[in-house]
Amino acid sequence: MRPYYRRQPPLSMAIQVAGLQRLFGFGNVRWDRSHLCWRGEIIPTEFSRPYLVELDYRRNMPPEVYVRQPNLRALAGERKLPHVYNQEKQELCLYVPGCGYWTPDKPLASTVMLWTSLWLFYFEVWLVTDVFHGRGEHPAPKPERPLLTS
Amino acid sequence: MLVTDAKPRTVSVHPLAIIERIIADIELSPRQYTDAQSSYEAVAAVLNKPTSQILVFRPSIHPQGSMRAGTTVRPRGQDRFDLDMLCWLAASGKFCTPEQVYKWVWDAVGEDETYRRMRRQKNRCIRIEYEDSRKFYLDVTPAVPDWVKQSGSLYVPDRELKAWCSSHPIAFVDDWFKKSAEQLPTFDAIAIMNARSANFSANVEPLPDYGQFEKKPLQRIVQLSKYHRNEYFQSDQTYQPSSILLTTLATHSYVEAIKTPADSLFAFVVRVTEGFPKFIQIVENSPEPQFIVPNPVNPNENFSEKWNAEHYRQFRSWHLQLLTVFEKLRDSRGMGVDVMLNRLGQSFGNEPVLKAAKALGTDTDALLRAGKLHVGKTYGSVGAVGALIPRTTYYGA
């Protein structure tokens, strides 16, 4: 993991939307210059149920991904959901922030959205195995200042 | 011999792929296969020692049964395979009795200090029990050529019946089973295309190697039915259909099923399984009907010789259950991978399904790390086609 990344200018909303329409064209996008919202049903595998997913992205903010349907907690039973920011809102944690996995110069469609599909697949396997097979980190103290020599 | 080397596992969430993982876990591994081979060669060497009493009969040992066919399934709750071996002797049944031949081989095995402690008597074979580290028994069945009709058939001694029994184990596998397994099913391109546009089926946005069996489909179908039979008859084996019977029915049905293209491998497996009962002949004798499943290479041998009406009834209810399992799995499409896995667990055992599901998760992560996992454009499905998923580390508790 390399915590250091080059800062590039953020992609414009128009470019982000074009990316979403190309790779996730089955959903709907509403957008203006400072905000976009993609909403659509993702079916992570042939045997999976459909998941209604919403991506909410505001300029200068990290993107937020929610599963609106079904109720994941109902599926999970007694267990706490893995890798979510919020059990109630079903907001997914798709990458470790501040480590360069996603930065505003990267298209949402080829990063965050792909991780969403994979998250949903891992979630379905987790329901049975109790193991979330995607690699994960639990929230730790804020990422430290990167050491340039590592 | 039909043995595949261990290949790196690929990921597919299809129930057939999960079943394949389970079977690959309980079949003879290529390494165990090599171990077994050196073990039976060592037995053959003992029988061929210059001092051996049966040297004159030029004894040789050949694997038969599931080891020869590549369809081994470890018995339930056991950590060992029973591997069937044929000990061929150039003796004539005209001049020696079955008991004599059995005893000669028994004594010849016992001439070696080590094997003397490891040999056990069974009805038709001599069982060699190895130490725990070797995960198998060798069941060595003595056999002599057909001295009456000079055919390729063999005779094996039956100690309980005190008689020679006609057998044709090598030809059954080499001339019939393997030749049938070489023929492969074909798939209906139009059905696959229609399924693609209508809903998920066939090869839509497949995970790598989706719908591929690592072994020949016939071998896997035989293993699948043997495995499910073991699960079904786990508490009482009285009426359990034998492996050779299932292999025969599956092969007949397979040969018939490949004549028509199928919509998918899954549909093909269901079609082959549906056909099993068609190849049991029922002769309505009074008071008991008679059931006939002839050995295809030796029509005088009937694999269901010991069957009565209850055997048949139990066979049919097992068979119906297996078809119901397939139907439930097919219906779980679109309901959740977890639903499909739980249904698999109900009929193939929770523990092996759990193990296979974990392996699927681990393999998926490895594929992601190797930069080989994609998301398709139609439904955002994880698979082998579409946009490449970059690595990530999921965050949060």
Side-chain angles (χ1 to χ4, degrees):
Chain A
M1 196 187 308
R2 295 183 61 190
Y4 174 77
Y5 59 92
R6 285 171 299 155
R7 285 196 186 276
Q8 298 277 348
L11 293 182
S12 70
M13 285 297 169
I15 289 179
Q16 290 288 16
V17 170
L20 287 167
Q21 282 168 342
R22 191 168 63 85
L23 296 182
F24 289 84
F26 54 91
N28 293 313
V29 205
R30 286 179 292 117
W31 66 287
D32 57 35
R33 284 178 56 190
S34 62
H35 176 225
L36 77 76
C37 179
W38 179 95
R39 209 177 149 90
E41 268 191 354
I42 291 179
I43 308 176
T45 76
E46 179 186 357
F47 281 81
S48 301
R49 55 178 78 70
Y51 294 86
L52 182 61
V53 170
E54 199 171 292
L55 163 75
D56 199 75
Y57 176 55
R58 280 164 210 281
R59 189 170 272 279
N60 299 326
M61 297 284 281
E64 293 169 2
V65 176
Y66 300 93
V67 175
R68 298 299 188 199
Q69 265 169 22
N71 184 336
L72 303 184
R73 275 181 306 143
L75 294 171
E78 309 272 281
R79 294 169 287 177
K80 275 182 84 174
L81 297 177
H83 300 294
V84 291
Y85 283 110
N86 186 314
Q87 298 280 324
E88 305 287 325
K89 289 186 184 166
Q90 309 194 143
E91 186 189 350
L92 313 185
C93 305
L94 299 167
Y95 60 96
V96 179
C99 292
Y101 287 112
W102 183 82
T103 47
D105 57 317
K106 291 184 181 174
L108 294 163
S110 53
T111 54
V112 171
M113 289 297 286
L114 305 180
W115 298 330
T116 303
S117 285
L118 191 57
W119 189 100
L120 292 168
F121 167 65
Y122 283 139
F123 170 74
E124 290 195 326
V125 178
W126 171 83
L127 284 172
V128 174
T129 62
D130 236 355
V131 181
F132 195 87
H133 290 276
R135 286 191 201 175
E137 260 181 30
H138 297 288
K142 278 194 166 183
E144 283 178 27
R145 245 184 102 83
L147 293 170
L148 290 178
T149 55
S150 58
Chain B
M1 265 160 227
L2 298 168
V3 167
T4 52
D5 286 310
K7 283 190 223 157
R9 293 281 166 75
T10 49
V11 302
S12 165
V13 293
H14 196 281
L16 283 185
I18 307 284
I19 292 172
E20 170 138 57
R21 279 177 189 273
I22 297 171
I23 290 173
D25 212 42
I26 52 156
E27 70 179 349
L28 203 63
S29 71
R31 215 199 121 169
Q32 289 167 328
Y33 185 89
T34 318
D35 272 2
Q37 199 168 15
S38 52
S39 300
Y40 77 72
E41 280 167 2
V43 175
V46 166
L47 301 183
N48 280 294
K49 268 201 237 169
T51 53
S52 168
Q53 300 292 316
I54 55 170
L55 191 61
V56 59
F57 300 124
R58 302 196 309 275
S60 57
I61 294 193
H62 311 270
Q64 54 167 332
S66 61
M67 183 176 173
R68 195 173 192 90
T71 55
T72 49
V73 170
R74 196 171 52 225
R76 207 177 178 283
Q78 264 191 40
D79 62 347
R80 291 197 187 219
F81 295 90
D82 307 333
L83 299 179
D84 293 323
M85 299 290 149
L86 195 78
C87 176
W88 186 88
L89 300 165
S92 171
K94 198 170 168 183
F95 304 112
C96 40
T97 66
E99 295 93 325
Q100 269 177 324
V101 167
Y102 186 93
K103 192 169 181 305
W104 289 340
V105 177
W106 171 261
D107 290 343
V109 169
E111 275 172 42
D112 185 281
E113 188 85 30
T114 327
Y115 290 113
R116 195 179 309 149
R117 281 180 281 113
M118 285 153 61
R119 62 186 178 163
R120 305 277 176 275
Q121 290 198 337
K122 307 236 323 172
N123 183 30
R124 286 190 181 186
C125 64
I126 296 156
R127 169 164 286 192
I128 300 178
E129 294 183 352
Y130 292 90
E131 69 277 24
D132 287 343
S133 62
R134 285 201 230 180
K135 297 296 178 198
F136 49 79
Y137 304 115
L138 291 189
D139 284 342
V140 181
T141 305
V144 299
D146 175 10
W147 67 93
V148 186
K149 285 180 281 174
Q150 309 285 313
S151 71
S153 177
L154 297 169
Y155 281 89
V156 301
D158 188 303
R159 290 170 55 233
E160 283 166 18
L161 299 176
K162 295 191 191 302
W164 289 109
C165 291
S166 170
S167 177
H168 222 325
I170 306 291
F172 178 86
V173 176
D174 290 8
D175 299 347
W176 190 61
F177 179 81
K178 283 189 191 173
K179 289 217 171 92
S180 307
E182 289 300 323
Q183 309 170 55
L184 296 176
T186 53
F187 297 99
D188 189 340
I190 293 168
I192 289 170
M193 271 159 50
N194 286 343
R196 233 172 242 207
S197 55
N199 51 31
F200 277 101
S201 176
N203 296 318
V204 185
E205 295 175 356
L207 286 161
D209 270 11
Y210 167 85
Q212 294 283 322
F213 277 138
E214 281 181 13
K215 275 194 171 179
K216 294 269 190 322
L218 177 56
Q219 290 173 304
R220 284 303 194 219
I221 292 169
V222 168
Q223 287 178 304
L224 193 163
S225 44
K226 281 167 67 174
Y227 180 83
H228 187 263
R229 170 208 59 186
N230 292 352
E231 289 292 310
Y232 184 87
F233 290 96
Q234 55 179 281
S235 51
D236 183 3
Q237 281 108 45
T238 317
Y239 296 102
Q240 175 171 296
S242 67
S243 293
I244 190 130
L245 182 108
L246 290 186
T247 308
T248 306
L249 299 180
T251 308
H252 278 306
S253 185
Y254 180 89
V255 169
E256 192 177 86
I258 48 173
K259 289 178 189 156
T260 334
D263 294 356
S264 68
L265 184 62
F266 192 52
F268 178 75
V269 172
V270 173
R271 187 197 292 169
V272 173
T273 310
E274 276 170 346
F276 284 10
K278 276 196 279 182
F279 301 94
I280 304 172
Q281 300 160 33
I282 305 174
V283 183
E284 293 294 346
N285 286 345
S286 63
E288 277 270 315
Q290 196 196 349
F291 301 93
I292 303 169
V293 179
N295 179 345
V297 294
N298 184 15
N300 296 327
E301 191 178 357
N302 176 14
F303 291 140
S304 56
E305 200 176 6
K306 291 174 184 158
W307 271 27
N308 58 33
E310 183 57 16
H311 284 93
Y312 183 71
R313 202 190 62 76
Q314 297 240 9
F315 168 83
R316 289 307 292 251
S317 60
W318 162 73
H319 178 252
L320 185 66
Q321 169 111 353
L322 181 54
L323 289 177
T324 315
V325 171
F326 286 143
E327 205 172 305
K328 275 191 179 173
L329 291 174
R330 189 171 46 206
D331 292 348
S332 67
R333 199 175 265 141
M335 293 173 75
V337 170
D338 46 307
V339 173
M340 183 270 284
L341 289 173
N342 285 328
R343 288 184 179 182
L344 260 178
Q346 283 162 17
S347 28
F348 290 86
N350 282 324
E351 222 169 285
V353 170
L354 194 63
K355 192 174 171 197
K358 283 182 179 168
L360 169 68
T362 310
D363 290 353
T364 307
D365 185 58
L367 225 52
L368 173 74
R369 304 284 140 191
K372 286 180 180 166
L373 209 54
H374 301 251
V375 169
K377 289 181 187 177
T378 323
Y379 304 95
S381 304
V382 179
V385 292
L388 183 70
I389 314 181
R391 293 183 185 195
T392 186
T393 302
Y394 289 99
Y395 188 56

